Amino acid sequence: MCGIIGFTGGGNAIHKLLDGLEALEYRGYDSSGVAYFADGALKCVKTKGRLSSLRERFAETDDSAVLSGIGHTRWATHGEVSDRNSHPHGNSRVYGVHNGIVENYTELSAYLSRRGYSFESDTDTERAILLIDCLYQSLKDPVKAMMQASSMIKGSFALGVVFADIPNTVFAMRRDSPLLACPSDEGMFIASDISAVLRYTRRFAIIEEGELAVLTHNSIRFILPDGSAREKEYESVTWDTSAAERGGFPHFMLKEIFEEAEAVSRTISGRIREMHPSFEIPLFEMEIPKRIHIIACGTAMHAGLMGKYAIEKLARIPVNVEIASEFRYRDPILEKGDVVLIISQSGETADTLAALRLAKERSVHTLAIVNVVGSTIAREADSVLYTRAGPEIAVASTKAYSVQVALLYLIAIRLGEASGKLSPCKTEQLCRELENMPEYIEETLNIRERCKAVAERCSAHHSIFFIGRGQDHALCMEAALKLKEISYIHCEAYAAGEMKHGTISLIENGTPVFAFATEEALLDKTVNNIREVTSRGASVTLFVRAGLKLPQGIADEVIELPCVRELFMPLCAVLPAQLIAYYTALTLGCDVDKPRNLAKSVTVE
Ligand code: F6R
């Protein structure tokens, strides 16, 4: 995780670095810092806490003449959250910022200690930067020093480095952590993510592994390990700054919830037109799989569970859904004809990336569903389907979930059609209904005031349950994750029929239980489970698909969701789950967009 930025160009560098860090704060916000050239020397200012604390340190100074520097916003991995562990790290000769994990930190510490170095922080980063300094002292060449350091560092890194005796030049390299080089009219940037520099440019090139980028005020050179230069084409993002701004909403999370309908529409409509009515253009090139393994983390894994329901229902292909951090270490059985389907919003999640690499090693076809264009997972998978959600800034994933689910439905329909399990007529009907889903997603937003009232009531509780059966259970898992991560209230998702096997003992008078019932065939069973908890004092809010008949007084509150095909209900049902999490966190005064201990892009395992 952690966000990195670097700039060299025509002035106001501190301002640009701080603004860039603000856009990158979603990657980590334990501390932040900058190192820059001023008065013929390198200076470093860093502090724990949010970026506002760093901004305060510059409030009184006129730094408009500063031409270049590097900046960092941290999600702590090595060492507590403190000023001294904040980045940049280094000494009067060299400073650097780092995203990733240096695994041979202990060996490097010993190597450096033997050469007279001592350490001021507990971080792995400091070792990497001092190693560069040490090599630079002997090799006298920054490119050679960084290349050699790269070969000595085990683990992952994106590094931005400045040397005191090479003013206004920024050096950058990476392995398994993202880093872009971005030219602009005002100067040259490096950034973990294009959103950090969108105010100045939309152009970027990915710094490839093994390459070194050298930025001066009017040039970016890419150097290969043999010292030769590499010419690169720059790519451009199509979205602009407004997509990465709040646009009148109090929080990114709320904005992103309100963007779900449009995002789902972008994700599916063009592709449905490709499939329907002629089905001439394949959604992806692959044989019908014998078995599908959906691998992801967190919310993306929950989206995968919906994919399992859809693919098994429509295409009758067995699907195994697994958490990436488990899959990668359990020697999974992958056979010829299997497909590994990787889901990741960021395309950088370390465990998910490792799972992808494992599948590739075993020669199994890999298909990735990714939001961030050009991310590592997108580049390494055999085929990629982009979710086209636009940037998701809030740490809690909302619109990314919906577009992942929508794309999985499309894959399920496609596989059903291609395997002959769905007739052309049924396929067409499903496509048409899926294409209409954005309307129903919009309609679901009408229940937001009721969700707010429910949230205000449940915010006083310390324990909350979500229950449902079938795909409603999978939805409950996402609902509980959302509420936990941003409101810090302990909650659990349970298969409604499983409560009585132990967990029901936690129900007491007034315990809030959210029940979801969107599948007719399971309704009576879920109703029975609701009775089991209400008779033990639970206060139940039931979300039900409109049109399903309920017994009188079955729950304290019943909130109807639009009546759409059961299979597609999660695209509507997830909205109250997200809204309840949002309003509960708001009521409790939590930082909705930047919950404690978390970061958006989890690039450590
Ligand atoms: C929760 C959340 C996380 C991510 C998970 C995977 O709101 O955002 O659970 O879903 O860290 O991230 P990606 O999709 O980027 O691989």
Side-chain angles (χ1 to χ4, degrees), residues 254 258 444-453 579 583:
L254 193 62
F258 273 74
T444 312
L445 287 170
N446 293 337
I447 60 168
R448 65 181 176 278
E449 285 304 320
R450 293 186 72 186
C451 292
K452 190 172 175 191
L579 287 165
Y583 287 119

Side-chain angles (χ1 to χ4, degrees), residues 101 103 295 297 322-334 350-359 361-362 604-605:
I101 291 203
E103 286 165 7
I295 313 299
C297 300
E322 208 167 333
I323 295 167
S325 55
E326 291 295 317
F327 175 84
R328 64 180 287 198
Y329 288 119
R330 70 165 184 87
D331 193 13
I333 301 170
L334 297 174
D351 284 316
T352 313
L353 177 60
L356 167 74
R357 288 179 177 164
L358 173 71
E361 260 168 45
R362 305 271 182 94
V604 296
E605 70 167 284

Side-chain angles (χ1 to χ4, degrees), residues 119-169:
F119 309 106
E120 284 174 10
S121 79
D122 308 318
T123 65
D124 53 340
T125 302
E126 189 184 17
R127 279 59 178 175
I129 304 303
L130 294 183
L131 176 67
I132 291 171
D133 176 52
C134 176
L135 295 167
Y136 183 50
Q137 296 310 305
S138 58
L139 296 167
K140 309 286 181 218
D141 178 330
V143 173
K144 285 190 180 140
M146 286 192 59
M147 291 287 190
Q148 187 159 336
S150 158
S151 68
M152 292 170 71
I153 296 171
K154 293 208 173 86
S156 59
F157 56 81
L159 281 165
V161 177
V162 284
F163 296 88
D165 59 359
I166 316 173
N168 301 326
T169 306

Side-chain angles (χ1 to χ4, degrees), residues 156-369:
S156 59
F157 56 81
L159 281 165
V161 177
V162 284
F163 296 88
D165 59 359
I166 316 173
N168 301 326
T169 306
V170 175
F171 295 81
M173 63 180 184
R174 71 170 196 100
R175 181 197 301 149
D176 288 347
S177 291
L179 196 58
L180 309 175
C182 315
S184 83
D185 293 342
E186 307 231 0
M188 305 298 147
F189 290 92
I190 53 164
S192 301
D193 173 341
I194 191 75
S195 62
V197 297
L198 269 184
R199 216 166 281 182
Y200 305 100
T201 182
R202 292 194 204 172
R203 296 174 69 216
F204 69 93
I206 294 163
I207 302 174
E208 299 294 344
E209 302 198 2
E211 253 172 32
L212 191 76
V214 184
L215 284 70
T216 60
H217 75 283
N218 59 4
S219 75
I220 301 178
R221 281 184 303 132
F222 297 94
I223 300 174
L224 295 169
D226 64 4
S228 63
R230 172 186 268 181
E231 289 304 317
K232 279 206 189 204
E233 296 282 317
Y234 288 95
E235 299 173 48
S236 287
V237 287
T238 46
W239 40 275
D240 61 19
T241 42
S242 65
E245 284 167 359
R246 283 206 302 269
F249 284 87
H251 297 97
F252 279 110
M253 182 175 175
L254 193 62
K255 175 184 179 238
E256 287 160 7
I257 292 172
F258 273 74
E259 283 173 352
E260 281 175 45
E262 200 193 317
V264 166
S265 169
R266 263 200 312 273
T267 301
I268 57 174
S269 54
R271 291 179 168 122
I272 283 186
R273 253 170 265 133
E274 285 163 14
M275 283 174 69
H276 163 76
S278 65
F279 308 113
E280 272 165 7
I281 305 168
L283 182 62
F284 48 87
E285 306 275 355
M286 66 181 190
E287 307 272 297
I288 304 291
K290 256 180 29 204
R291 225 161 38 128
I292 298 178
H293 307 263
I294 298 182
I295 313 299
C297 300
T299 289
M301 192 278 287
H302 295 156
L305 292 171
M306 295 307 180
K308 173 183 168 76
Y309 279 94
I311 295 169
E312 291 191 342
K313 190 177 176 68
L314 302 183
R316 305 305 295 161
I317 296 170
V319 180
N320 156 47
V321 183
E322 208 167 333
I323 295 167
S325 55
E326 291 295 317
F327 175 84
R328 64 180 287 198
Y329 288 119
R330 70 165 184 87
D331 193 13
I333 301 170
L334 297 174
E335 291 172 347
K336 194 166 180 291
D338 288 3
V339 163
V340 168
L341 202 168
I342 296 285
I343 308 177
S344 176
Q345 187 284 129
S346 63
E348 302 292 348
T349 303
D351 284 316
T352 313
L353 177 60
L356 167 74
R357 288 179 177 164
L358 173 71
K360 290 190 74 174
E361 260 168 45
R362 305 271 182 94
S363 308
V364 169
H365 184 87
T366 54
L367 167 66
I369 292 184

Side-chain angles (χ1 to χ4, degrees), residues 296-302 343-350 352 369 372 377 392 394-398 400 404 478 481-482 485-486 598-602:
C297 300
T299 289
M301 192 278 287
H302 295 156
I343 308 177
S344 176
Q345 187 284 129
S346 63
E348 302 292 348
T349 303
T352 313
I369 292 184
V372 177
I377 290 175
E392 189 180 64
V395 165
S397 197
T398 53
Q404 287 160 356
E478 175 55 11
L481 173 64
K482 219 77 320 174
E485 73 175 317
I486 62 167
L598 293 173
K600 182 78 183 158
S601 174
V602 187

